[in-house]
């Protein structure tokens, strides 16, 4: 496989350093096997979850392929980025992908794309290196790294639980408790009056709901219609990345908005 350091942002490669196969070999096995993760990645074990229930073992697509009969034939491109790593550094742009069993001509095109960038992102390359090579046991920063990492994962679990519990406590709303990544994807059961208002406004129902939330509560979410939701259902995507000290405020603002929305468009009390 060949490592290509970088992640596309608005069509531009934010980091153009090509990592050689020798450097890949020097990386820890856990780092390689954690590629293609879309959740906080664990480099020291196979547990990589922000579970509100029990911690489940995480098996990457790369590991599944390498342990199968297709390890030498099936093509796979695995992705990982600093924004999806344990630190969740969404403001820093950088990542890598691993090309496994990919045709050499295709690999050459990746090299070409990585070579034409005019403004390499130095910080992005540094954080990708840190992501792929975390402190190892016995090194000066190892204990502090482990402490901060575990504290961050514990905080993410608490935030996930707080948001999931809040959504499930509201009428006309349900959500599957978040077990990975940093998103919640609640379903909203919109009343007929809200569906009619959305149609009159020329908006999809979930877009109508999300725009109302933005205008009235100042909360920005993403409508579920952009994610291929089941026809007739309505969702939105939100995150629980804000720090714990502000999450309770978010929850209260959202609850107030949702209750007002349902009161406005729900059945009128006689």
């Amino acid at each position: 496989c060949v490592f290509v350091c970088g992640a596309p942002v608005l069509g531009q490669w934010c980091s153009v350093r090509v990592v050689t196969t020798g450097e890949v070999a020097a990386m820890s096995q856990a780092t390689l096997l954690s590629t293609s993760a879309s959740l906080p990645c664990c480099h020291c074990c196979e547990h990589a979850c922000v579970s509100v229930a029990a911690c489940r073992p995480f098996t990457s697509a790369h590991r599944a392929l390498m342990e199968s009969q297709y390890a030498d034939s099936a093509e796979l491109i695995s992705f990982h980025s600093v924004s999806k790593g344990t630190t969740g550094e969404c403001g820093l742009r950088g990542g890598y992908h691993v090309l496994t069993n990919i045709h050499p001509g295709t690999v050459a095109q990746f090299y070409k794309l990585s070579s034409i960038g005019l403004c390499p992102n130095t910080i992005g390359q540094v954080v990708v290196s840190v992501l792929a090579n975390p402190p190892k046991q016995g090194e000066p920063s190892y204990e502090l790294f482990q402490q901060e990492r575990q504290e961050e994962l514990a905080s993410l679990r608490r935030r996930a639980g707080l948001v999931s519990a809040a959504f499930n406590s509201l009428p006309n709303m349900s959500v599957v408790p978040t077990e990975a990544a940093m998103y919640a994807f609640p379903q909203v059961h919109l009343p007929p009056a809200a569906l009619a208002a959305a149609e009159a406004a020329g908006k999809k129902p979930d877009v109508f709901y999300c725009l109302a939330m933005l205008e009235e509560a100042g909360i920005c979410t993403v409508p579920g219609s952009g994610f291929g939701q089941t026809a007739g259902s309505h969702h939105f995507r939100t995150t629980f990345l804000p720090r714990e000290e502000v999450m309770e405020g978010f929850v209260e603002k959202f609850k107030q908005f949702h209750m007002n929305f349902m009161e406005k468009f729900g059945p009128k009390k006689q």
Side-chain angles (χ1 to χ4, degrees):
C1 61
V2 177
F3 255 32
V4 183
C5 181
V9 180
L10 299 179
Q12 299 295 321
W13 288 94
C14 65
S15 181
V16 298
R17 178 158 99 39
V18 177
V19 185
T20 67
T21 51
E23 290 177 281
V24 172
M27 288 183 170
S28 67
Q29 185 71 359
T31 298
L32 284 173
L33 295 178
S34 67
T35 57
S36 77
S38 59
L39 66 169
C41 174
C42 175
H43 300 286
C44 59
C45 67
E46 290 183 67
H47 295 279
C49 70
V50 185
S51 175
V52 296
C55 184
R56 299 182 181 181
F58 169 68
T59 301
S60 69
H62 190 277
R63 173 182 284 277
L65 174 60
M66 291 298 100
E67 295 179 349
S68 76
Q69 59 180 313
Y70 307 105
D72 297 325
S73 58
E75 296 181 330
L76 177 69
I77 301 179
S78 302
F79 299 85
H80 199 24
S81 71
V82 294
S83 63
K84 300 299 186 292
T86 302
T87 52
E89 292 287 356
C90 298
L92 298 177
R93 315 306 298 178
Y96 61 76
H97 47 270
V98 182
L99 283 66
T100 306
N101 300 326
I102 302 300
H103 189 279
T106 302
V107 174
Q109 295 304 313
F110 274 95
Y111 271 101
K112 182 186 296 183
L113 283 172
S114 298
S115 300
I116 61 177
L118 299 179
C119 301
N121 185 336
T122 302
I123 296 178
Q125 296 183 64
V126 170
V127 295
V128 168
S129 178
V130 173
L131 172 72
N133 297 285
K136 298 176 178 60
Q137 191 166 7
E139 295 181 346
S141 58
Y142 177 78
E143 296 297 333
L144 180 58
F145 171 78
Q146 289 298 321
Q147 176 186 336
E148 292 185 351
R149 182 179 180 280
Q150 293 305 319
E151 289 175 352
E152 185 62 25
L153 287 175
S155 175
L156 284 169
R157 292 188 187 99
R158 290 192 295 270
R159 282 175 270 169
L162 175 66
V163 170
S164 297
F167 289 152
N168 282 325
S169 72
L170 294 171
N172 298 320
M173 177 168 287
S174 60
V175 68
V176 176
T178 303
E179 295 186 349
M182 57 278 199
Y183 301 111
F185 202 68
Q187 180 175 5
V188 186
H189 307 280
L190 296 173
L195 299 178
E199 183 177 8
K203 305 289 185 183
K204 294 180 179 180
D206 54 349
V207 174
F208 180 79
Y209 180 86
C210 289
L211 287 176
M213 190 191 317
L214 178 62
E215 293 171 358
E216 298 176 24
I219 299 173
C220 183
T221 56
V222 183
S225 53
F227 298 93
Q229 63 188 0
T230 302
S233 67
H234 309 105
H235 301 73
F236 65 90
R237 190 187 77 170
T238 187
T239 181
F240 47 86
L241 278 180
R243 307 311 302 172
E244 285 189 77
E245 55 267 23
V246 301
M247 283 303 298
E248 290 189 6
F250 155 76
V251 166
E252 292 305 315
K253 288 178 66 175
F254 176 80
K255 284 183 175 180
Q256 187 62 51
F257 159 76
H258 182 77
M259 296 304 293
N260 291 341
F261 186 93
M262 290 301 165
E263 182 178 355
K264 179 179 179 180
F265 293 105
K268 305 301 179 185
K269 296 180 180 180
Q270 301 297 326

